[in-house]
Protein backbone atom coordinates (compact mmCIF):
# COMPACT_ATOMS: atom_id res chain seq x y z
CA UNK A 1 0.00 0.00 0.00
CA UNK A 2 1.48 3.36 -1.07
CA UNK A 3 2.59 5.91 1.49
CA UNK A 4 0.27 8.92 1.48
CA UNK A 5 1.74 12.29 0.72
CA UNK A 6 0.86 15.28 2.86
CA UNK A 7 -1.27 16.95 0.19
CA UNK A 8 -3.63 13.94 0.09
CA UNK A 9 -3.99 13.13 3.78
CA UNK A 10 -7.13 15.22 4.38
CA UNK A 11 -8.97 13.62 1.47
CA UNK A 12 -7.90 10.09 2.44
CA UNK A 13 -8.93 10.58 6.09
CA UNK A 14 -12.26 12.11 5.08
CA UNK A 15 -13.04 9.16 2.82
CA UNK A 16 -12.03 6.53 5.39
CA UNK A 17 -14.03 8.24 8.16
CA UNK A 18 -17.01 8.66 5.85
CA UNK A 19 -16.95 4.99 4.80
CA UNK A 20 -16.35 3.30 8.17
CA UNK A 21 -19.44 1.41 9.43
CA UNK A 22 -19.77 2.52 13.04
CA UNK A 23 -20.76 0.54 16.11
CA UNK A 24 -22.88 2.97 18.14
CA UNK A 25 -22.37 1.74 21.69
CA UNK A 26 -25.14 3.64 23.51
CA UNK A 27 -28.57 4.55 22.16
CA UNK A 28 -32.21 4.44 23.25
CA UNK A 29 -33.39 2.99 19.96
CA UNK A 30 -35.51 -0.12 19.50
CA UNK A 31 -35.92 -2.41 16.50
CA UNK A 32 -38.96 -1.91 14.25
CA UNK A 33 -40.32 -5.19 15.69
CA UNK A 34 -40.84 -3.44 19.06
CA UNK A 35 -43.82 -1.51 17.73
CA UNK A 36 -44.31 2.00 19.06
CA UNK A 37 -41.14 1.75 21.14
CA UNK A 38 -39.32 2.30 17.83
CA UNK A 39 -39.47 6.09 17.45
CA UNK A 40 -39.02 7.79 14.07
CA UNK A 41 -40.44 10.65 11.99
CA UNK A 42 -40.65 14.41 12.38
CA UNK A 43 -43.09 14.53 15.28
CA UNK A 44 -40.68 12.43 17.36
CA UNK A 45 -37.61 14.32 16.09
CA UNK A 46 -39.12 17.72 16.91
CA UNK A 47 -40.27 16.67 20.40
CA UNK A 48 -36.81 15.31 21.35
CA UNK A 49 -36.25 16.51 24.89
CA UNK A 50 -33.21 18.54 23.84
CA UNK A 51 -35.51 20.64 21.58
CA UNK A 52 -38.31 20.81 24.14
CA UNK A 53 -35.90 22.40 26.62
CA UNK A 54 -34.87 24.93 23.96
CA UNK A 55 -38.53 25.59 23.01
CA UNK A 56 -39.48 26.52 26.57
CA UNK A 57 -36.79 29.21 26.59
CA UNK A 58 -38.92 31.20 24.14
CA UNK A 59 -42.36 30.78 25.66
CA UNK A 60 -44.26 31.33 28.90
CA UNK A 61 -46.61 28.47 27.98
CA UNK A 62 -47.59 26.29 30.92
CA UNK A 63 -45.39 23.17 30.99
CA UNK A 64 -48.28 20.86 31.79
CA UNK A 65 -50.47 22.33 29.05
CA UNK A 66 -47.72 21.63 26.50
CA UNK A 67 -47.19 18.01 27.54
CA UNK A 68 -50.96 17.43 27.48
CA UNK A 69 -51.07 18.31 23.78
CA UNK A 70 -50.95 15.57 21.11
CA UNK A 71 -47.36 14.96 20.00
CA UNK A 72 -48.18 16.34 16.53
CA UNK A 73 -49.24 19.67 18.07
CA UNK A 74 -46.19 19.75 20.34
CA UNK A 75 -44.01 19.24 17.25
CA UNK A 76 -45.75 22.08 15.40
CA UNK A 77 -45.15 24.46 18.32
CA UNK A 78 -41.47 23.48 18.56
CA UNK A 79 -41.03 23.81 14.79
CA UNK A 80 -42.75 27.19 14.64
CA UNK A 81 -40.77 28.57 17.59
CA UNK A 82 -37.29 27.23 16.85
CA UNK A 83 -37.28 26.86 13.04
CA UNK A 84 -39.68 29.48 11.64
CA UNK A 85 -39.69 32.38 14.11
CA UNK A 86 -35.88 32.19 14.32
CA UNK A 87 -33.00 30.33 12.71
CA UNK A 88 -32.16 26.81 14.01
CA UNK A 89 -28.61 27.36 15.24
CA UNK A 90 -28.24 25.10 18.30
CA UNK A 91 -26.67 21.63 17.87
CA UNK A 92 -30.01 19.84 18.29
CA UNK A 93 -31.74 22.30 15.93
CA UNK A 94 -28.94 22.02 13.34
CA UNK A 95 -29.37 18.25 13.71
CA UNK A 96 -32.89 18.35 12.33
CA UNK A 97 -31.70 20.32 9.30
CA UNK A 98 -28.87 17.81 8.77
CA UNK A 99 -31.37 14.94 8.84
CA UNK A 100 -33.61 16.62 6.25
CA UNK A 101 -30.64 17.21 3.95
CA UNK A 102 -29.09 13.75 4.33
CA UNK A 103 -32.46 12.08 3.71
CA UNK A 104 -32.73 14.10 0.52
CA UNK A 105 -35.88 15.92 1.59
CA UNK A 106 -36.59 19.19 -0.18
CA UNK A 107 -37.39 22.11 2.09
CA UNK A 108 -39.67 24.50 0.21
CA UNK A 109 -39.38 28.27 0.60
CA UNK A 110 -42.10 28.25 3.22
CA UNK A 111 -40.30 25.45 5.11
CA UNK A 112 -43.75 23.84 5.45
CA UNK A 113 -43.71 21.04 8.05
CA UNK A 114 -46.57 18.96 6.51
CA UNK A 115 -44.73 18.77 3.19
CA UNK A 116 -41.65 17.43 5.01
CA UNK A 117 -43.69 14.86 6.92
CA UNK A 118 -45.34 13.60 3.75
CA UNK A 119 -41.94 12.90 2.20
CA UNK A 120 -40.92 10.77 5.20
CA UNK A 121 -44.28 8.99 5.51
CA UNK A 122 -44.00 7.85 1.89
CA UNK A 123 -41.11 5.48 2.82
CA UNK A 124 -42.12 2.04 4.29
CA UNK A 125 -40.64 1.53 7.82
CA UNK A 126 -38.35 -1.49 7.18
CA UNK A 127 -36.96 0.21 4.07
CA UNK A 128 -36.68 3.38 6.11
CA UNK A 129 -34.57 1.74 8.85
CA UNK A 130 -32.16 0.49 6.17
CA UNK A 131 -32.09 3.96 4.60
CA UNK A 132 -31.32 5.65 7.91
CA UNK A 133 -28.59 3.16 8.92
CA UNK A 134 -27.02 3.58 5.48
CA UNK A 135 -27.23 7.40 5.59
CA UNK A 136 -25.71 7.39 9.08
CA UNK A 137 -22.96 4.89 8.22
CA UNK A 138 -23.95 2.82 11.26
CA UNK A 139 -23.50 -0.95 11.26
CA UNK A 140 -25.10 -1.69 14.61
CA UNK A 141 -26.42 0.07 17.69
CA UNK A 142 -26.53 -0.92 21.35
CA UNK A 143 -29.90 -0.26 22.96
CA UNK A 144 -30.83 0.64 26.55
CA UNK A 145 -32.99 -2.19 27.86
CA UNK A 146 -34.85 -2.26 31.16
CA UNK A 147 -36.78 -5.47 32.00
CA UNK A 148 -38.22 -3.71 35.04
CA UNK A 149 -40.20 -1.59 32.58
CA UNK A 150 -43.29 -3.74 32.07
CA UNK A 151 -43.98 -2.41 28.57
CA UNK A 152 -40.49 -3.26 27.34
CA UNK A 153 -40.44 -6.60 29.19
CA UNK A 154 -43.57 -7.69 27.38
CA UNK A 155 -41.90 -7.03 23.99
CA UNK A 156 -38.97 -9.23 25.04
CA UNK A 157 -41.28 -11.97 26.33
CA UNK A 158 -43.69 -11.89 23.37
CA UNK A 159 -41.53 -10.85 20.40
CA UNK A 160 -37.83 -10.74 21.28
CA UNK A 161 -35.18 -8.94 19.28
CA UNK A 162 -34.79 -10.40 15.79
CA UNK A 163 -32.78 -7.58 14.23
CA UNK A 164 -29.01 -8.26 14.48
CA UNK A 165 -28.30 -4.55 14.00
CA UNK A 166 -29.77 -3.92 17.48
CA UNK A 167 -27.67 -5.24 20.39
CA UNK A 168 -28.92 -5.17 23.97
CA UNK A 169 -27.55 -3.60 27.14
CA UNK A 170 -29.09 -4.42 30.53
CA UNK A 171 -29.89 -1.09 32.17
CA UNK A 172 -29.75 -1.02 35.97
CA UNK A 173 -31.01 2.45 36.97
CA UNK A 174 -34.20 1.30 38.76
CA UNK A 175 -32.33 -1.52 40.53
CA UNK A 176 -29.40 0.58 41.69
CA UNK A 177 -30.92 4.05 42.08
CA UNK A 178 -34.51 3.25 43.14
CA UNK A 179 -34.39 -0.22 44.69
CA UNK A 180 -37.03 0.59 47.33
CA UNK A 181 -39.44 1.60 44.54
CA UNK A 182 -38.73 -1.38 42.27
CA UNK A 183 -38.04 -4.46 44.40
CA UNK A 184 -41.78 -5.18 44.25
CA UNK A 185 -41.56 -5.47 40.46
CA UNK A 186 -38.74 -7.99 40.90
CA UNK A 187 -41.09 -9.98 43.15
CA UNK A 188 -43.78 -9.85 40.45
CA UNK A 189 -41.19 -11.29 38.07
CA UNK A 190 -40.59 -14.23 40.42
CA UNK A 191 -37.45 -13.07 42.22
CA UNK A 192 -37.74 -13.53 45.99
CA UNK A 193 -36.24 -10.17 46.98
CA UNK A 194 -37.05 -8.11 50.05
CA UNK A 195 -36.56 -4.49 51.06
CA UNK A 196 -33.45 -5.41 53.05
CA UNK A 197 -30.39 -6.80 51.30
CA UNK A 198 -30.03 -10.11 53.14
CA UNK A 199 -28.24 -13.03 51.50
CA UNK A 200 -31.41 -14.44 49.93
CA UNK A 201 -32.24 -11.07 48.37
CA UNK A 202 -28.69 -10.54 47.10
CA UNK A 203 -28.73 -14.04 45.61
CA UNK A 204 -32.05 -13.39 43.89
CA UNK A 205 -30.81 -10.07 42.49
CA UNK A 206 -27.82 -11.93 41.04
CA UNK A 207 -30.23 -14.48 39.54
CA UNK A 208 -32.26 -11.63 37.95
CA UNK A 209 -29.12 -10.08 36.46
CA UNK A 210 -27.83 -13.40 35.09
CA UNK A 211 -31.17 -14.55 33.66
CA UNK A 212 -32.01 -11.25 31.97
CA UNK A 213 -28.51 -10.54 30.71
CA UNK A 214 -28.75 -13.93 28.98
CA UNK A 215 -32.34 -13.40 27.80
CA UNK A 216 -31.35 -10.07 26.21
CA UNK A 217 -27.94 -11.36 25.06
CA UNK A 218 -26.68 -8.16 26.70
CA UNK A 219 -23.24 -7.02 25.53
CA UNK A 220 -22.83 -5.02 28.75
CA UNK A 221 -24.75 -3.82 31.81
CA UNK A 222 -25.18 -0.06 32.30
CA UNK A 223 -26.28 2.45 34.87
CA UNK A 224 -26.44 6.25 35.02
CA UNK A 225 -25.32 7.72 38.34
CA UNK A 226 -25.60 11.08 40.11
CA UNK A 227 -22.69 13.49 40.69
CA UNK A 228 -22.48 12.32 44.33
CA UNK A 229 -22.10 8.64 43.35
CA UNK A 230 -19.71 7.02 45.82
CA UNK A 231 -18.37 3.53 46.27
CA UNK A 232 -17.53 2.02 48.68
CA UNK A 233 -20.46 3.37 50.68
CA UNK A 234 -22.95 1.99 53.19
CA UNK A 235 -25.86 2.42 50.78
CA UNK A 236 -28.31 0.17 48.96
CA UNK A 237 -26.79 1.18 45.62
CA UNK A 238 -23.21 0.42 46.66
CA UNK A 239 -24.16 -2.92 48.27
CA UNK A 240 -26.06 -4.10 45.18
CA UNK A 241 -23.29 -2.81 42.93
CA UNK A 242 -20.50 -4.65 44.78
CA UNK A 243 -22.56 -7.62 45.98
CA UNK A 244 -24.46 -8.41 42.80
CA UNK A 245 -23.67 -6.40 39.67
CA UNK A 246 -19.87 -6.62 39.70
CA UNK A 247 -19.67 -10.36 40.47
CA UNK A 248 -22.28 -11.20 37.79
CA UNK A 249 -20.54 -9.00 35.17
CA UNK A 250 -17.29 -10.81 36.03
CA UNK A 251 -18.96 -14.23 35.77
CA UNK A 252 -20.60 -13.38 32.42
CA UNK A 253 -17.40 -11.62 31.26
CA UNK A 254 -19.24 -8.48 30.21
CA UNK A 255 -18.38 -4.88 31.10
CA UNK A 256 -20.29 -2.55 33.36
CA UNK A 257 -20.97 0.85 31.79
CA UNK A 258 -21.00 3.70 34.30
CA UNK A 259 -22.53 6.98 33.10
CA UNK A 260 -21.76 9.40 35.90
CA UNK A 261 -22.82 12.94 36.70
CA UNK A 262 -26.52 13.19 35.85
CA UNK A 263 -28.72 15.21 38.19
CA UNK A 264 -32.23 13.92 37.48
CA UNK A 265 -35.26 16.27 37.30
CA UNK A 266 -33.74 19.55 38.49
CA UNK A 267 -36.84 20.98 36.85
CA UNK A 268 -39.45 18.22 37.32
CA UNK A 269 -41.94 20.09 35.11
CA UNK A 270 -39.73 19.47 32.06
CA UNK A 271 -39.96 15.64 32.20
CA UNK A 272 -36.96 14.10 30.34
CA UNK A 273 -35.77 17.63 29.49
CA UNK A 274 -35.50 18.46 33.19
CA UNK A 275 -32.25 16.64 33.94
CA UNK A 276 -28.97 18.43 34.49
CA UNK A 277 -25.41 17.60 35.51
CA UNK A 278 -22.77 17.94 38.20
CA UNK A 279 -19.07 17.18 38.66
CA UNK A 280 -18.52 13.71 40.13
CA UNK A 281 -15.73 12.20 42.23
CA UNK A 282 -13.20 10.24 40.17
CA UNK A 283 -12.05 8.36 43.28
CA UNK A 284 -14.97 5.92 42.94
CA UNK A 285 -13.76 5.00 39.43
CA UNK A 286 -10.21 4.57 40.73
CA UNK A 287 -11.56 2.31 43.51
CA UNK A 288 -13.65 0.10 41.20
CA UNK A 289 -10.87 -0.32 38.61
CA UNK A 290 -8.26 -1.04 41.29
CA UNK A 291 -10.30 -3.38 43.50
CA UNK A 292 -11.90 -5.28 40.61
CA UNK A 293 -9.09 -5.78 38.07
CA UNK A 294 -10.95 -8.77 36.53
CA UNK A 295 -13.95 -6.54 35.77
CA UNK A 296 -14.16 -4.18 32.81
CA UNK A 297 -15.63 -0.69 33.11
CA UNK A 298 -16.95 1.43 30.26
CA UNK A 299 -17.14 4.95 31.66
CA UNK A 300 -18.50 8.25 30.43
CA UNK A 301 -18.96 11.33 32.60
CA UNK A 302 -21.35 14.19 32.04
CA UNK A 303 -19.36 17.11 33.44
CA UNK A 304 -16.79 18.81 31.20
CA UNK A 305 -14.71 19.28 34.36
CA UNK A 306 -14.39 15.50 34.82
CA UNK A 307 -12.97 14.80 31.35
CA UNK A 308 -9.26 15.36 31.91
CA UNK A 309 -9.08 13.30 35.12
CA UNK A 310 -11.15 10.54 33.50
CA UNK A 311 -8.71 10.32 30.60
CA UNK A 312 -5.74 10.27 33.01
CA UNK A 313 -7.45 7.56 35.09
CA UNK A 314 -7.77 5.45 31.92
CA UNK A 315 -3.97 5.68 31.60
CA UNK A 316 -3.73 4.01 35.03
CA UNK A 317 -6.23 1.18 34.47
CA UNK A 318 -6.43 -0.97 31.33
CA UNK A 319 -9.79 -2.30 32.54
CA UNK A 320 -11.21 1.20 32.09
CA UNK A 321 -12.50 2.18 28.62
CA UNK A 322 -13.52 5.81 28.26
CA UNK A 323 -16.39 6.41 25.86
CA UNK A 324 -18.44 9.16 24.26
CA UNK A 325 -19.11 12.86 24.60
CA UNK A 326 -22.30 12.35 26.52
CA UNK A 327 -25.48 14.51 26.26
CA UNK A 328 -24.59 18.11 27.21
CA UNK A 329 -21.02 17.44 26.00
CA UNK A 330 -22.21 16.40 22.54
CA UNK A 331 -21.75 19.86 21.06
CA UNK A 332 -19.09 20.49 18.38
CA UNK A 333 -16.72 22.72 20.35
CA UNK A 334 -16.71 20.49 23.44
CA UNK A 335 -16.48 17.30 21.35
CA UNK A 336 -13.51 18.85 19.55
CA UNK A 337 -11.82 19.72 22.86
CA UNK A 338 -12.46 16.36 24.57
CA UNK A 339 -11.50 14.26 21.54
CA UNK A 340 -8.22 16.12 21.06
CA UNK A 341 -7.38 15.65 24.74
CA UNK A 342 -8.18 11.92 24.59
CA UNK A 343 -6.09 11.41 21.46
CA UNK A 344 -3.20 13.19 23.16
CA UNK A 345 -3.52 11.18 26.40
CA UNK A 346 -4.84 7.82 25.17
CA UNK A 347 -3.82 7.56 21.52
CA UNK A 348 -6.31 5.16 19.92
CA UNK A 349 -7.33 3.37 23.17
CA UNK A 350 -10.75 4.89 23.73
CA UNK A 351 -14.24 4.97 22.16
CA UNK A 352 -14.67 8.56 21.00
CA UNK A 353 -18.42 8.80 20.54
CA UNK A 354 -21.86 7.31 20.88
CA UNK A 355 -25.05 8.92 19.61
CA UNK A 356 -27.47 8.46 22.52
CA UNK A 357 -30.10 8.55 19.77
CA UNK A 358 -33.69 8.16 20.94
CA UNK A 359 -35.30 8.71 17.53
CA UNK A 360 -34.04 6.65 14.59
CA UNK A 361 -33.03 9.53 12.29
CA UNK A 362 -30.89 11.15 14.99
CA UNK A 363 -28.24 8.56 14.03
CA UNK A 364 -27.77 10.56 10.83
CA UNK A 365 -26.94 13.93 12.36
CA UNK A 366 -25.12 12.69 15.45
CA UNK A 367 -22.67 10.71 13.33
CA UNK A 368 -22.44 13.25 10.47
CA UNK A 369 -21.52 15.97 12.96
CA UNK A 370 -19.01 13.76 14.78
CA UNK A 371 -17.31 12.45 11.64
CA UNK A 372 -16.36 16.02 10.66
CA UNK A 373 -14.59 16.50 14.01
CA UNK A 374 -12.72 13.21 14.22
CA UNK A 375 -11.60 13.57 10.59
CA UNK A 376 -10.12 16.99 11.40
CA UNK A 377 -8.19 15.69 14.40
CA UNK A 378 -6.89 12.59 12.62
CA UNK A 379 -5.82 14.62 9.59
CA UNK A 380 -3.75 16.90 11.83
CA UNK A 381 -2.05 13.96 13.51
CA UNK A 382 -1.30 11.96 10.36
CA UNK A 383 0.05 15.09 8.69
CA UNK A 384 2.34 15.60 11.67
CA UNK A 385 3.64 12.02 11.33
CA UNK A 386 4.25 12.47 7.61
CA UNK A 387 6.16 15.72 8.08
CA UNK A 388 8.44 13.89 10.50
CA UNK A 389 9.08 11.23 7.88
CA UNK A 390 6.87 8.56 9.46
CA UNK A 391 5.27 6.57 6.60
CA UNK A 392 1.46 6.43 6.79
CA UNK A 393 -0.60 4.35 4.37
CA UNK A 394 -4.33 4.32 3.66
CA UNK A 395 -4.42 0.87 5.28
CA UNK A 396 -2.93 2.31 8.49
CA UNK A 397 -5.68 4.93 8.62
CA UNK A 398 -8.42 2.39 7.91
CA UNK A 399 -7.16 0.15 10.73
CA UNK A 400 -6.98 3.06 13.20
CA UNK A 401 -10.43 4.41 12.35
CA UNK A 402 -12.03 0.95 12.62
CA UNK A 403 -10.36 0.57 16.02
CA UNK A 404 -11.84 3.83 17.29
CA UNK A 405 -15.35 3.33 15.89
CA UNK A 406 -15.96 -0.36 16.45
CA UNK A 407 -13.09 -2.69 17.24
CA UNK A 408 -12.13 -1.08 20.57
CA UNK A 409 -15.66 -1.76 21.76
CA UNK A 410 -15.93 -5.35 20.48
CA UNK A 411 -12.46 -6.23 21.79
CA UNK A 412 -13.35 -4.75 25.18
CA UNK A 413 -16.66 -6.60 25.49
CA UNK A 414 -15.01 -9.84 24.39
CA UNK A 415 -16.25 -10.05 20.79
CA UNK A 416 -19.66 -10.17 19.07
O1 LIG B 1 -29.31 8.17 31.05
C1 LIG B 1 -29.06 8.19 29.84
O2 LIG B 1 -28.83 7.17 29.14
C2 LIG B 1 -29.08 9.56 29.18
O3 LIG B 1 -28.51 9.45 27.89
C3 LIG B 1 -30.51 10.04 29.13
O4 LIG B 1 -31.28 9.04 28.47
C4 LIG B 1 -30.73 11.39 28.46
O5 LIG B 1 -32.09 11.72 28.56
C5 LIG B 1 -30.34 11.43 27.02
O6 LIG B 1 -31.08 11.02 26.17
N1 LIG B 1 -29.18 12.01 26.76
O7 LIG B 1 -28.74 12.16 25.50
ZN1 LIG C 1 -28.55 7.62 27.09
Amino acid sequence: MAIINEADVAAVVARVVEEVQVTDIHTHLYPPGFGDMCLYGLDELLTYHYLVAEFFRHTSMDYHAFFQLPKERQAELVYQTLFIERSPLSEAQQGIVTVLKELGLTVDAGKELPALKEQIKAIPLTEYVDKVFAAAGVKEVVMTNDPLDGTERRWWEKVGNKDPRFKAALRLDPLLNDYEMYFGELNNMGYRVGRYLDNVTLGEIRRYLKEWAKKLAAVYMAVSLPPDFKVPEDSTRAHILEGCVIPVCRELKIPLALMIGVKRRVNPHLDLAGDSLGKADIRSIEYLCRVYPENKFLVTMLSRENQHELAVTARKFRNLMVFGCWWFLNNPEIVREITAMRLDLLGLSFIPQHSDARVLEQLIYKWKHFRRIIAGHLTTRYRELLTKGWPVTEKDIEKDVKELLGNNFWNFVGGR
Side-chain angles (χ1 to χ4, degrees):
M1 183 66 98
I3 296 170
I4 300 168
N5 62 54
E6 272 180 64
D8 301 335
V9 66
V12 172
V13 170
R15 188 186 59 68
V16 171
V17 167
E18 181 58 29
E19 289 177 359
V20 65
Q21 291 302 298
V22 165
T23 296
D24 191 343
I25 80 159
H26 171 61
T27 76
H28 299 268
L29 299 177
Y30 293 94
F34 273 44
D36 54 11
M37 291 192 80
C38 171
L39 304 180
Y40 69 98
L42 272 166
D43 286 345
E44 294 298 346
L45 286 168
L46 289 167
T47 54
Y48 183 38
H49 65 79
Y50 290 32
L51 292 173
V52 170
E54 293 166 25
F55 161 74
F56 272 113
R57 295 202 46 71
H58 297 286
T59 176
S60 55
M61 181 177 189
D62 176 76
Y63 293 123
H64 187 66
F66 174 82
F67 287 112
Q68 289 296 305
L69 293 172
K71 186 150 283 193
E72 185 171 1
R73 181 65 188 129
Q74 293 179 23
E76 285 166 5
L77 286 171
V78 169
Y79 187 72
Q80 178 62 27
T81 307
L82 299 179
F83 293 80
I84 301 298
E85 288 169 10
R86 48 190 57 78
S87 300
L89 300 185
S90 78
E91 173 61 6
Q93 295 163 27
Q94 292 269 13
I96 298 286
V97 180
T98 300
V99 168
L100 299 179
K101 175 179 180 299
E102 295 303 312
L103 281 177
L105 273 60
T106 46
V107 183
D108 58 33
K111 297 175 262 188
E112 297 297 326
L113 183 54
L116 295 172
K117 284 185 177 179
E118 281 319 306
Q119 294 178 64
I120 289 187
K121 269 199 193 119
I123 309 168
L125 180 57
T126 45
E127 200 182 302
Y128 192 63
V129 175
D130 298 349
K131 185 180 175 72
V132 170
F133 269 68
V138 169
K139 176 177 185 174
E140 58 221 333
V141 300
V142 183
M143 302 180 277
T144 296
N145 304 109
D146 178 9
L148 293 180
D149 170 335
T151 307
E152 177 170 1
R153 185 168 71 248
R154 274 184 288 285
W155 281 110
W156 284 101
E157 287 167 342
K158 290 208 186 72
V159 177
N161 173 24
K162 299 185 172 44
D163 191 328
R165 292 171 298 187
F166 292 78
K167 310 298 182 191
L170 177 56
R171 187 66 178 248
L172 306 174
D173 288 44
L175 180 72
L176 287 176
N177 298 330
D178 294 309
Y179 180 73
E180 284 70 20
M181 198 187 303
Y182 283 89
F183 77 90
E185 186 64 13
L186 280 169
N187 274 310
N188 299 339
M189 294 168 67
Y191 298 98
R192 297 182 319 284
V193 296
R195 178 182 301 279
Y196 303 106
L197 302 179
D198 58 24
N199 286 337
V200 171
T201 290
L202 291 171
E204 284 293 273
I205 293 173
R206 286 192 291 268
R207 183 167 70 90
Y208 160 72
L209 293 169
K210 255 181 270 186
E211 289 179 356
W212 276 91
K214 286 176 183 162
K215 206 185 290 267
L216 301 179
V219 291
Y220 62 75
M221 293 189 198
V223 62
S224 73
L225 295 161
D228 62 356
F229 164 63
K230 196 171 177 314
V231 65
E233 183 185 60
D234 184 13
S235 66
T236 299
R237 171 167 56 217
H239 291 320
I240 296 176
L241 180 64
E242 293 200 84
C244 306
V245 175
I246 286 179
V248 171
C249 282
R250 191 165 57 245
E251 184 184 333
L252 298 181
K253 295 185 172 40
I254 59 175
L256 173 61
L258 301 169
M259 306 170 70
I260 309 172
V262 52
K263 221 185 283 178
R264 294 291 179 192
R265 303 173 66 78
V266 293
N267 181 347
H269 304 297
L270 273 178
D271 192 24
L272 272 181
D275 299 335
S276 188
L277 64 84
K279 185 174 185 303
D281 187 339
I282 199 75
R283 288 175 294 184
S284 294
I285 304 298
E286 293 167 352
Y287 166 83
L288 289 170
C289 293
R290 184 176 61 247
V291 171
Y292 299 105
E294 300 308 309
N295 279 81
K296 295 176 182 176
F297 298 96
L298 285 159
V299 178
T300 198
M301 297 180 88
L302 193 48
S303 166
R304 183 182 185 187
E305 288 67 30
N306 277 127
Q307 299 310 316
H308 186 250
E309 57 189 350
L310 176 59
V312 171
T313 306
R315 290 170 60 90
K316 307 305 139 197
F317 297 104
R318 62 184 169 195
N319 59 332
L320 169 54
M321 179 66 78
V322 173
F323 78 93
C325 301
W326 184 26
W327 203 341
F328 303 111
L329 300 174
N330 193 4
N331 298 314
E333 291 318 309
I334 298 182
V335 172
R336 197 166 279 117
E337 170 192 290
I338 294 175
T339 306
M341 177 176 64
R342 289 170 175 174
L343 283 165
D344 289 340
L345 281 167
L346 301 171
L348 292 165
S349 65
F350 67 104
I351 298 169
Q353 189 59 301
H354 66 277
S355 70
D356 232 316
R358 285 176 172 271
V359 183
L360 185 67
E361 300 91 331
Q362 290 170 345
L363 290 175
I364 295 173
Y365 89 81
K366 300 231 187 198
W367 285 107
K368 183 85 182 171
H369 293 187
F370 177 69
R371 278 184 159 96
R372 209 167 31 216
I373 295 167
I374 191 71
H377 283 328
L378 291 175
T379 297
T380 304
R381 282 158 176 74
Y382 289 123
R383 189 173 283 137
E384 231 169 282
L385 289 178
L386 289 164
T387 50
K388 293 176 212 165
W390 184 265
V392 178
T393 67
E394 197 164 323
K395 206 163 181 54
D396 294 330
I397 298 174
E398 281 172 5
K399 187 162 45 65
D400 298 342
V401 168
K402 282 177 183 165
E403 194 165 318
L404 281 174
L405 296 177
N407 292 341
N408 278 347
F409 174 70
W410 289 112
N411 294 335
F412 197 67
V413 303
R416 279 182 169 76

